[in-house]
Amino acid sequence: MIRLHHCHQTRSMRSLWLLHEMGIDFDLVVYPFDKTLREEPYRSLNPTGRVPTLEIDGAVVTESGAIAEVLCERFPAAGLGRAPDDAERIPWLNWIHFAETISQHCAALTQQHVALREDQMRSPIVMQLEARRLAKTLGAVEAGLRGDCLLASFSAADVGIGQAVYMAAHFVRLDGFPKVAAWFDRLQARAAYRMALPDEPGLYLRDFYPPWDLPQ
Ligand SMILES: N[C@@H](CCC(=O)N[C@@H](CS)C(=O)NCC(=O)O)C(=O)O
């Protein structure tokens, strides 16, 4: 049995998109992105109250990078992983986990722009700093993109980084990263990507949150 616990527009979209790319059967449990995650029954499954959580054959996995590794090992025929003896194994692993380097800045910016409801709780300095640090991570993706994908062919690395870029694009314009923008356009055309999107926004009510968007 495979069951994904998911909140729309969060890191669990990464796992949902990957499951759809693999075309395998799974159960999906969708939660609102609120205190429900810190309450029972979810708290027993994931004590830090975060998503994603994947239940797979009696085991529980709570890190999106680990979920990608577990799914790619379990379903090698999908061709989205890179085995330990594959020449692309190291860059594949590095991209899978670099998604979190991007996402930590997205999380900080989501907290600033979305989670903190009162303007006086927000910090323009943090917003600007985090947006600048996020842009630097996008620069690394821009430098790493050589062809149509991050590796020689499409893989879970494109899904993980692609979903991180989906979140990042709410805070940093992709215009300054032409290869990332073109690659992300191609990813957005994928059926599995679209299946991982919500019908209605669950977290980001705007397409873009500029760092200077504060009352003076
Ligand atoms: N390193 C974890 C991070 C998981 C995480 O923090 N997810 C966020 C959503 S993007 C969350 O559930 N936040 C809820 C909270 O912090 O209370 C992963 O890669 O899965």
Side-chain angles (χ1 to χ4, degrees):
M1 183 278 289
I2 296 177
R3 177 177 296 141
L4 177 68
H5 299 263
H6 170 60
C7 291
H8 291 308
Q9 297 187 298
T10 70
R11 287 167 174 98
S12 56
M13 179 185 160
R14 197 171 288 166
S15 314
L16 181 57
W17 177 4
L18 186 60
L19 284 161
H20 283 309
E21 289 285 355
M22 292 179 151
I24 56 182
D25 286 337
F26 62 95
D27 296 337
L28 182 66
V29 188
V30 181
Y31 302 83
F33 193 58
D34 62 16
K35 63 180 172 52
T36 313
L37 297 177
R38 295 187 291 278
E39 293 169 348
E40 296 298 349
Y42 189 71
R43 187 170 57 185
S44 292
L45 206 54
N46 187 331
T48 59
R50 293 169 186 238
V51 284
T53 298
L54 186 80
E55 294 179 79
I56 180 161
D57 302 335
V60 175
V61 196
T62 60
E63 285 291 329
S64 57
I67 289 171
E69 288 192 54
V70 165
L71 287 174
C72 289
E73 281 166 19
R74 174 76 198 280
F75 301 99
L80 300 177
R82 295 296 181 269
D85 60 353
D86 191 304
E88 290 190 322
R89 170 68 169 188
I90 290 175
W92 180 82
L93 266 181
N94 206 57
W95 284 123
I96 290 291
H97 293 283
F98 189 68
E100 269 306 282
T101 298
I102 303 174
S103 300
Q104 64 179 313
H105 302 299
C106 300
L109 286 160
T110 302
Q111 183 181 65
Q112 286 288 319
H113 287 276
V114 181
L116 298 177
R117 301 207 179 272
E118 307 291 332
D119 281 340
Q120 71 269 17
M121 299 166 98
R122 300 177 171 145
S123 161
I125 302 291
V126 171
M127 288 174 169
Q128 284 161 21
L129 191 65
E130 288 294 332
R132 221 173 293 144
R133 283 160 64 76
L134 178 58
K136 206 163 210 174
T137 67
L138 297 181
V141 182
E142 180 79 7
L145 274 167
R146 297 213 163 73
D148 283 350
C149 306
L150 288 167
L151 303 177
S153 60
F154 183 77
S155 76
D158 296 290
V159 173
I161 299 291
Q163 192 279 333
V165 168
Y166 164 81
M167 293 197 294
H170 288 88
F171 306 107
V172 173
R173 302 267 186 216
L174 297 186
D175 316 9
F177 308 96
K179 286 188 201 166
V180 174
W183 163 81
F184 187 54
D185 278 350
R186 289 193 295 277
L187 292 180
Q188 287 180 291
R190 297 183 75 88
Y193 169 89
R194 291 200 302 272
M195 289 164 82
L197 289 173
D199 293 334
E200 291 188 1
L203 178 60
Y204 301 117
L205 300 181
R206 298 193 214 163
D207 290 338
F208 190 71
Y209 297 84
W212 52 89
D213 190 20
L214 280 175
Q216 295 304 306

